[in-house]
Amino acid sequence: MKRAVLVNGVPATGKSTVARAISARMGWIILTLDTVKEPFFDQLGLGDREFNRALGRASYHAIWSILRDAPDETTFIIDAWFGFQPREVLEAHIARAGVGATAEIWCHAPPELLGERYGSRLGERHPGHPGAAFIPELIELAKRGRPVDRGPRFDVDTTEPLDLDALIAWLKPALKLE
């Protein structure tokens, strides 16, 4: 059975930090929406916001295609904001990929802090991502963003230090690894 750890949260919630910590401990491969999307920016250009969204949807599809072709008993970590598309899209991708177990890690922090984090990283982010004009939208998104609640869920308040031991202890049975 293939497994997927859904590291979920709006932008700037610390998803990548959490995903990297799990990967380092467990040796599982991370598939990050941004890592898939950014080479397309480099090859196809930056475009407008709708182009960015289209590349996001295509990158999301590519991630699930990689899982589809992976062998059984593979566990992947998927670092993405799962709320940017309808739930039915996620369910269709999971079914098509043959993923039998998912566990969600919901990363969150206060909306204003997320705006500050996003703003502080603008110089480090690929230029294809939205710039400073996105910060007010991000703050509003963070106020209404919710987990997808697909399978067991572990909440991570990224204003606090990550208790990786507790997370891994929860994750193993959540994914039916024990």
Side-chain angles (χ1 to χ4, degrees), residues 62-103:
I63 286 171
W64 293 103
S65 295
I66 292 167
L67 265 75
R68 180 193 64 221
D69 291 343
D72 281 341
E73 301 309 316
T74 304
T75 302
F76 282 92
I77 302 164
I78 305 171
D79 167 356
W81 162 231
F82 291 95
F84 81 101
Q85 293 193 96
R87 171 71 179 259
E88 301 79 42
V89 172
L90 173 62
E91 295 298 339
H93 281 308
I94 288 170
R96 187 174 58 86
V99 172
T102 62

Side-chain angles (χ1 to χ4, degrees), residues 165-177:
D165 291 332
L167 176 53
I168 297 300
W170 171 86
L171 196 52
K172 288 179 180 178
L175 288 173
K176 302 175 178 82
L177 290 168

Side-chain angles (χ1 to χ4, degrees), residues 32-47 51-52 54-63 66 126 128:
T32 304
L33 190 64
D34 288 349
T35 301
V36 174
K37 184 163 77 167
E38 289 169 1
F40 288 105
F41 285 137
D42 294 339
Q43 294 300 308
L44 301 174
L46 303 181
F51 180 72
N52 182 309
L55 283 185
R57 291 187 299 271
S59 299
Y60 192 67
H61 192 95
I63 286 171
I66 292 167
H126 191 284

Side-chain angles (χ1 to χ4, degrees), residues 122-140:
L122 286 173
E124 303 164 16
R125 305 231 341 131
H126 191 284
H129 296 288
F134 176 66
I135 294 172
E137 183 181 337
L138 170 62
I139 292 169
E140 290 305 310

